[in-house]
Amino acid sequence: MKKYVCNKCGYVYDPEKGDPGGGIKPGTPFDDIPGDWVCPMCGVSKTDFSPVS
């Protein structure tokens, strides 16, 4: 599964870890995260993330 990075603060969403504090279970692909999820570090929306190459 592909990792995604926040364009504002550099937080990396790792699907293997998820975001338990944000209600995202480990193993959740980025595309399956609800649209209202925000970066746990800086609060920007999911649309402000880019795939890690």
Side-chain angles (χ1 to χ4, degrees):
M1 284 186 280
K2 193 166 236 188
K3 295 178 182 179
Y4 281 74
V5 63
C6 176
N7 298 325
K8 182 175 179 185
C9 74
Y11 168 80
V12 175
Y13 174 76
D14 182 346
E16 291 183 12
K17 297 178 183 175
D19 176 24
I24 309 300
K25 294 179 182 177
T28 304
F30 189 79
D31 290 340
D32 292 349
I33 296 173
D36 61 352
W37 178 80
V38 296
C39 177
M41 299 295 287
C42 69
V44 298
S45 72
K46 182 179 168 182
T47 59
D48 290 311
F49 279 72
S50 299
V52 173
S53 52

